[in-house]
Amino acid sequence: MYQTTYHRASSVDEAAATFAKGSEAKYLSGGQTLLPVMKQRLASPSDVIDLAKIKELIGVEAAGDTLTIKAATPHYDVATSDAAKKAIPAVAYLASLIGDPAVRYRGTIGGSLANNDPAADYPAAVLALGATIKTNKRSIAADDYFKGLFTTALEDGEIITAVSFPVPAKAGYAKFPHPASRFALTGVFVAKTKAGDVRVAVTGASQSGVMRVAALENALKANWSASAVDSVSIPASGLLSDIHGSSDYRANLIKVMAARAVTAAG
Amino acid sequence: MGVEGIGASVVRKEDKRFITGKGRYVDDIKLPGMTYAHFIRSPHAHAKVKGIDSSAALKMPGVVAVLTGKEIVDDKVGNLICGWAITSKDGTPMKMGAWPAMAPETVRFVGQAVAVVIAESKNLARDAAEAVVVDYEELPAVADVNAAIKAGAPQLHPEAPGNQVYDWVIGDENAVNDAFAKAANVVKMDVTNNRLAPNPMEPRSALADYDTAEEHYTLYTTSQNPHVARLVLSAFYNIAPEHKLRVIAPDVGGGFGSKIYIYPEEMVALWASKKTGRPVKWTGDRTEAFLTDAHGRDHVTHAEMAFDASNKILGFRVKTYANFGAYMSLFSSAVPTYLYATLLSGQYNIPAIHAEVIGVYTNTTPVDAYRGAGRPEASYLIERMMETAARQLKVDPAALRKSNFITQFPHQTPVIMAYDIGDFNASLDAAMKAIDYAGFAARKAQAKAQGKLRGIGVSCYIEACGIAPSKAVGSLGAGVGLWESAEVRVNPVGTIEILTGSHSHGQGHETTFCQLVADRLGVPISQVSIVHGDTDKVQFGMGTYGSRSAAVGLTAILKAMEKMESKAKKIAAHALEASEADIVIENGEFKVTGTDKAIALPMVALAAYTAHNLPDGMEPGLKESAFYDPSNFTFPAGAYICELEVDPGTGKTTFVNFVAADDFGRLINPMIVEGQVHGGLAQGIGQALLEHAVYDANGQPVTASFMDYTMPRADDLPSFKLSHTTTLCPGNPLGIKGCGEAGAIGASAAVINAITDAIGKNNLEMPATPDRVWRTIHAA
């Protein structure tokens, strides 16, 4: 690791102010990606500003038709949150599948979304549920937030403070883990909104990061059942291919995992 | 057996320090004035080193030195050796290219060191390494065996035209041709044995300390065989004469073979310590482990088996290409020859066998012995072949095996090995019973109704362990003897120290070796300590690999114990005024049999050291040593059966049951044996389903971290059901065969046989990743 200056921020404003002063500052929110990358000397931030200890950024709340997860809430807290399990069990279940126990104790939803790894789990839930990403500057709709691999709508220095999920009528997540990294080789989140819309988001499969799949959404809107997926054709073009999963295989997994997610959603 | 004697599942003495973080590994050791080494490694699989500019690095704070490959060659540090001479079928010796500790002119694999920075801290060394400019001229590279043997392929070493190290044969080719000529059926198949990265938990580390006044070196290193390291560093690498070089291998966190070898980093640390006058420490990180620890396996084989009309095997014909990587590592040459082809008879009566093994250089990390070393490759090949034959001949795979088992012992195979004893039917019967083989068809039908593909796979392995005897291995080209030594010291107060040339890096010798002493003397194991891993303390030793420490090392301790006991009995008889022949040892006492006269061990020891009243002419003291060279290999064998389900939608394999019935001869500590089998099975299953060290066509490693290389985790593995059938090894007095490698040798074939049974298609290479299995299911 290159030398860096570590700051433990006590408020969002303090974090943002410290960020503005740094020449090449980075926010740290769990560090499950940033720290390994720094250890490999692939990143050399001048300043590392830790958001994970900011009290106002931690907590899970359900009110009315909204589940709100504050940005620095670790995955373990979400996975075990009664509020999350009651409001949107699929989100709590998704959190329980992220990485391994050590990752789940440290990693946070805000860190995951800001990093936007193309194989991370949370983006699938955020996109499929049409969540809103709240920052210290504004609110961003999920459909406007994800901009491709490791790219988001966040501006330089902008801090995610919370994610608000509208409670759906039905939701389910099915993940096929990457055998080595345990990221999603392919993960599919399906949601049926209370208004009857169907949204399907796929992570881990696409060369451009998390994506919605219109063909699956249309099929499931017409017939919310696992068998509805059978008739959908998923092209392999544009999908990732590596030693653990060819693009053909990932195309297959999108269908298989979508069907299983629907079954899980009930 | 007693509560702590042979056969007792005694809790491991060493675990208290390991579990409480008090283990002392090389990287835990700090010396005054210590510096840190960071190696500059080639990012190219094949390149000329045109120049190294270290001027900027040398100006950086805390940098002590930047040393290059040219300097180490100029200082006449020897090239790395391969310690087992193999002769090709045309009578020529194997063709080896030179391997300097750091490359002066040409790099041949990604990760090969070209220079080293020595600095006051790890981070400073790393910073400075980034400021060293190496000018490479890239050369075409080749990573794959099939590509490397083609005409026009990039050539690695001028000494080895066509990238061929040797073309070696074993067995009677004419007899095999005759067998095939009269065969009723011939089964043919191609089998790949995937390359693995060993990944012991502790990465390699070396700390070298040169004493300028004494001209003496001390090397702390992660070694499975510190005496062999000293021998090689002295005799071949010109570091120092043996009496001026002390090698200490303290607690070592796993090896699996990869820490047998003496690597460039240890040589460089020693040399750099003298050059800088400072202690030099290097500890590899995980990426360096992936790039530079010797890999395992990597065979491509075509095999044919001939059967008569009653499905008896007539002959076996094998041609294997073995990928050695860019250089010949210490024991690499022996792995695909004498540790592989000599086991090609498996558990079967095969009248004629012929194998040809072609060793090939590629631009990849060197390949050497890895848990099992040649025997997993042989076992996998034979057991895939038996399964394939059963499918082709339309007979039950277990029945085909049984009808071809060797049942008379000793049995001379056509490929050197003479099996001393075994009962292959007993282990297969035990495994079939444990898994309810007879009830499988019903379970398969039930699984099918639930949309799952269920399969069962058998693997009957045999291995040659306790690698020895010296005379035999010498006649086959080994550069060393393969005996073991031991010393028993009874201290004046009656506590006992056992000095052994075996080396524990996870095996539990500090417990099992004490159990032998407890068994013989009736003293608690708390009164016994095991000393190993230090060339200044232990007389000599050949180290731990090839499941040899119990069969060879423990027997050496037994021999030394017998000498010590004989002397102690004389002292006791003298003190008790009895005949030596009447003295028996029980519960820590020397007793006159049939009487109540006794003298406790501490009193015998004290008498030996005070020497006030010893028998006439007896030397004082109670300390004896022995060197033990066995008469043959040992032959652990067993049967593994695996039942699993494949999800046709994803190709994912889920275990239903995994049973192992092993014959290891006598067990010293069944709990430790169980642990060894569990670990071995995890590695065998890892090879079958998960692990693969992959290179792209240009020799760039694709799997140099745990994000890409799939190490087996607990949730990848089933709960194992273990059992033992026992035939005592006649080759050593304790009847031990060895248990360290069995799981890794036998497991992978059981898994692949089960998956191919489940999916109804026979062609499936390891690792059987979900993608690969799904693709195979849906292939036309």
Side-chain angles (χ1 to χ4, degrees):
Chain A
M1 190 180 284
Y2 294 108
Q3 292 236 351
T4 188
T5 304
Y6 172 85
H7 307 267
R8 176 174 289 180
S10 56
S11 71
V12 171
D13 289 346
E14 182 195 326
T18 310
F19 188 95
K21 279 187 263 174
S23 57
E24 258 186 75
K26 273 277 195 191
Y27 292 122
L28 181 73
S29 186
Q32 297 308 295
T33 298
L34 181 59
L35 293 180
V37 167
M38 287 173 69
K39 283 181 183 171
Q40 290 175 68
R41 294 191 159 209
L42 297 173
S44 53
S46 59
D47 299 82
V48 170
I49 303 153
D50 194 348
L51 306 176
K53 302 289 187 292
I54 299 175
K55 288 205 170 54
E56 65 196 89
L57 290 184
I58 299 167
V60 181
E61 290 160 12
D65 269 351
T66 304
L67 173 71
T68 301
I69 303 173
K70 293 183 182 175
T73 310
H75 311 320
Y76 174 81
D77 288 7
V78 177
T80 55
S81 156
D82 288 337
K85 281 196 269 189
K86 189 155 176 274
I88 317 178
V91 169
Y93 170 69
L94 174 147
S96 78
L97 301 179
I98 299 172
D100 54 37
V103 169
R104 291 195 287 274
Y105 277 111
R106 285 280 183 188
T108 67
I109 187 170
S112 171
L113 293 176
N115 188 50
N116 192 20
D117 189 298
D121 294 284
Y122 265 131
V126 168
L127 191 58
L129 290 166
T132 301
I133 288 126
K134 298 190 169 167
T135 77
N136 59 339
K137 294 180 179 164
R138 55 186 167 141
S139 290
I140 309 170
D143 284 324
D144 301 326
Y145 177 80
F146 300 103
K147 299 288 187 190
L149 304 189
F150 301 101
T151 311
T152 69
L154 291 175
E155 288 165 8
D156 199 37
E158 191 171 5
I159 297 172
I160 301 176
T161 55
V163 183
S164 292
F165 296 91
V167 175
K170 290 180 176 188
Y173 183 58
K175 170 181 182 175
F176 194 87
H178 183 289
S181 73
R182 303 282 172 103
F183 273 85
L185 195 69
T186 292
V188 180
F189 201 106
V190 298
K192 187 175 195 177
T193 68
K194 288 189 171 168
D197 272 349
V198 172
R199 292 170 64 100
V200 177
V202 174
T203 187
S206 167
Q207 292 171 11
S208 17
V210 67
M211 62 173 181
R212 287 175 63 182
V213 181
L216 286 170
E217 290 179 351
N218 294 337
L220 289 170
K221 189 163 182 182
N223 174 16
W224 180 265
S225 75
S227 60
V229 169
D230 291 347
S231 59
V232 176
S233 164
I234 303 289
S237 64
L239 298 187
L240 291 163
S241 184
D242 55 41
I243 58 167
H244 296 285
S246 55
S247 49
D248 289 348
Y249 181 63
R250 280 180 161 95
N252 168 65
L253 282 182
I254 290 173
K255 282 181 67 169
V256 173
M257 292 296 121
R260 291 179 189 183
V262 171
T263 303
Chain B
M1 70 182 188
V3 291
E4 295 184 331
I6 289 174
S9 285
V10 179
V11 171
R12 298 190 351 153
K13 288 175 77 176
E14 48 270 78
D15 282 350
K16 184 177 175 188
R17 76 173 185 279
F18 293 145
I19 289 168
T20 58
K22 304 287 186 190
R24 195 163 184 254
Y25 299 87
V26 174
D27 196 56
D28 294 323
I29 299 166
K30 293 182 174 63
L31 298 177
M34 190 168 81
T35 62
Y36 297 82
H38 186 85
F39 284 88
I40 296 163
R41 301 186 181 280
S42 171
H44 306 296
H46 199 189
K48 288 271 178 217
V49 181
K50 307 280 282 183
I52 298 177
D53 181 358
S54 47
S55 53
L58 285 166
K59 287 179 199 143
M60 291 170 73
V63 173
V64 177
V66 179
L67 304 170
T68 66
K70 182 175 184 308
E71 287 166 273
I72 200 165
V73 171
D74 288 348
D75 281 357
K76 305 212 173 349
V77 172
N79 290 333
L80 279 84
I81 61 159
C82 179
W84 198 307
I86 300 292
T87 304
S88 285
K89 64 182 181 186
D90 64 4
T92 58
M94 61 183 185
K95 298 178 174 68
M96 276 180 52
W99 185 8
M102 294 191 289
E105 288 172 1
T106 307
V107 287
R108 295 182 177 87
F109 66 97
V110 172
Q112 187 175 5
V114 297
V116 65
V117 177
I118 312 293
E120 300 290 348
S121 80
K122 259 188 181 178
N123 238 10
L124 289 169
R126 215 170 158 182
D127 288 344
E130 288 174 7
V132 174
V133 181
V134 184
D135 180 14
Y136 295 102
E137 178 192 325
E138 270 193 80
L139 299 171
V142 62
D144 177 75
V145 152
N146 291 322
I149 57 174
K150 286 210 175 95
Q155 299 291 299
L156 272 81
H157 297 280
E159 298 89 343
N163 296 319
Q164 186 172 301
V165 180
Y166 55 61
D167 183 347
W168 173 89
V169 290
I170 190 169
D172 186 336
E173 190 171 14
N174 290 331
V176 170
N177 289 341
D178 291 348
F180 277 78
K182 64 183 180 190
N185 287 293
V186 171
V187 181
K188 300 179 181 185
M189 70 186 306
D190 295 298
V191 170
T192 300
N193 205 284
N194 43 324
R195 176 184 284 237
L196 305 175
N199 277 316
M201 195 179 290
E202 180 204 21
R204 288 189 296 114
S205 182
L207 169 56
D209 184 18
Y210 180 68
D211 180 329
T212 50
E214 297 292 334
E215 297 179 337
H216 178 278
Y217 293 86
T218 303
L219 175 67
Y220 303 86
T221 185
T222 46
S223 174
Q224 299 179 215
N225 43 351
H227 285 89
V228 175
R230 185 182 64 166
L231 171 68
V232 172
L233 287 162
S234 277
F236 298 99
Y237 302 160
N238 310 322
I239 299 292
E242 281 169 296
H243 68 300
K244 293 289 186 186
L245 173 58
R246 177 183 185 184
V247 178
I248 300 171
D251 285 334
V252 174
F256 311 121
S258 71
K259 291 171 182 169
I260 296 172
Y261 327 114
I262 296 87
Y263 286 89
E265 290 85 359
E266 288 108 86
M267 300 161 66
V268 170
L270 285 159
W271 168 72
S273 179
K274 184 175 184 183
K275 282 204 99 73
T276 61
R278 303 273 297 274
V280 174
K281 181 192 274 185
W282 169 78
T283 300
D285 62 22
R286 186 56 61 184
T287 301
E288 286 181 295
F290 274 109
L291 297 181
T292 67
D293 290 5
H295 287 175
R297 322 281 191 251
D298 208 344
H299 284 192
V300 175
T301 296
H302 177 75
E304 302 180 354
M305 193 173 264
F307 289 85
D308 72 11
S310 57
N311 296 334
K312 297 275 190 201
I313 305 168
L314 295 173
F316 193 24
R317 184 188 276 150
V318 174
K319 185 171 187 180
T320 293
Y321 291 91
N323 188 344
F324 283 130
Y327 297 97
M328 293 300 286
S329 177
L330 192 64
F331 289 119
S332 58
S333 57
V335 176
T337 50
Y338 291 110
L339 296 178
Y340 163 72
T342 56
L343 270 303
L344 285 173
S345 197
Q347 297 190 352
Y348 310 106
N349 248 314
I350 306 182
I353 298 175
H354 183 259
E356 178 174 15
V357 180
I358 296 150
V360 180
Y361 277 126
T362 61
N363 292 108
T364 60
T365 297
V367 175
D368 207 325
Y370 166 66
R371 201 172 192 173
R375 293 152 292 167
E377 296 91 316
S379 187
Y380 182 71
L381 176 66
I382 300 157
E383 290 306 289
R384 285 291 292 129
M385 175 59 87
M386 293 306 284
E387 200 74 23
T388 304
R391 288 169 191 169
Q392 187 176 319
L393 301 171
K394 302 199 186 320
V395 292
D396 175 72
L400 181 67
R401 286 174 170 88
K402 279 170 165 278
S403 71
N404 283 285
F405 274 160
I406 295 161
T407 53
Q408 302 293 313
F409 297 91
H411 174 87
Q412 178 63 54
T413 72
V415 279
I416 297 179
M417 291 299 175
Y419 300 162
D420 51 6
I421 198 163
D423 187 342
F424 306 145
N425 275 303
S427 9
L428 183 52
D429 286 341
M432 288 169 72
K433 188 164 176 236
I435 206 156
D436 184 19
Y437 191 84
F440 172 72
R443 297 194 297 277
K444 186 180 175 89
Q446 203 173 11
K448 194 177 177 190
Q450 290 162 3
K452 292 291 167 72
L453 306 171
R454 189 174 283 219
I456 196 163
V458 176
S459 170
C460 297
Y461 74 90
I462 186 163
E463 46 175 333
C465 291
I467 173 171
S470 301
K471 196 173 167 185
V473 296
S475 73
L476 302 178
V480 290
L482 286 168
W483 41 266
E484 197 45 86
S485 87
E487 184 175 308
V488 175
R489 291 183 190 162
V490 183
N491 295 318
V493 291
T495 57
I496 298 157
E497 288 167 311
I498 303 291
L499 288 78
T500 172
S502 297
H503 182 275
S504 185
H505 34 279
Q507 291 84 351
H509 296 169
E510 290 170 54
T511 305
T512 48
F513 289 6
C514 291
Q515 288 182 252
L516 172 70
V517 179
D519 200 75
R520 295 189 67 85
L521 301 182
V523 298
I525 61 170
S526 60
Q527 284 186 27
V528 188
S529 64
I530 304 298
V531 178
H532 67 96
D534 184 340
T535 59
D536 265 16
K537 291 181 180 167
V538 177
Q539 55 292 340
F540 208 90
M542 297 312 299
T544 289
Y545 40 82
S547 306
R548 68 192 304 274
S549 294
V552 189
L554 193 62
T555 306
I557 296 172
L558 172 70
K559 296 289 178 187
M561 286 288 292
E562 286 172 350
K563 290 186 194 174
M564 182 279 291
E565 289 163 18
S566 168
K567 182 173 181 180
K569 280 182 179 175
K570 287 189 176 73
I571 297 169
H574 183 71
L576 296 168
E577 297 179 335
S579 162
E580 187 193 330
D582 292 335
I583 303 291
V584 292
I585 308 174
E586 280 172 16
N587 298 323
E589 289 186 325
F590 291 74
K591 291 181 178 163
V592 182
T593 185
T595 74
D596 59 357
K597 291 208 293 182
I599 178 170
L601 173 66
M603 298 311 292
V604 174
L606 195 61
Y609 285 95
T610 57
H612 294 161
N613 183 21
L614 290 176
D616 286 346
M618 180 181 277
E619 288 178 12
L622 196 52
K623 173 173 99 74
E624 297 290 345
S625 65
F627 283 63
Y628 173 68
D629 200 342
S631 56
N632 193 358
F633 289 90
T634 66
F635 296 96
Y640 296 159
I641 307 182
C642 165
E643 185 169 330
L644 48 74
E645 282 182 356
V646 173
D647 178 344
T650 63
K652 167 97 175 148
T653 295
T654 306
F655 288 100
V656 177
N657 208 344
F658 197 110
V659 302
D662 294 296
D663 180 358
F664 297 137
R666 191 182 307 284
L667 309 183
I668 305 299
N669 183 322
M671 179 199 72
I672 288 179
V673 169
E674 203 169 294
Q676 288 287 323
V677 176
H678 282 187
L681 291 174
Q683 282 174 309
I685 291 171
Q687 169 161 33
L689 291 182
L690 307 167
E691 298 186 56
H692 194 191
V694 180
Y695 288 85
D696 73 12
N698 298 317
Q700 285 293 329
V702 177
T703 49
S705 88
F706 288 140
M707 294 297 277
D708 302 300
Y709 187 91
T710 314
M711 282 296 281
R713 299 182 212 194
D715 66 355
D716 292 316
L717 301 169
S719 282
F720 305 112
K721 284 190 193 144
L722 310 188
S723 66
H724 301 282
T725 59
T726 302
T727 57
L728 293 178
C729 175
N732 62 69
L734 293 164
I736 292 170
K737 297 185 181 181
C739 66
E741 297 163 292
I745 290 169
S748 33
V751 175
I752 299 299
N753 286 342
I755 298 176
T756 50
D757 179 51
I759 65 177
K761 294 194 176 173
N762 195 53
N763 289 329
L764 178 68
E765 299 291 5
M766 301 188 291
T769 59
D771 183 358
R772 193 173 268 174
V773 173
W774 175 80
R775 197 165 288 287
T776 306
I777 293 171
H778 297 282

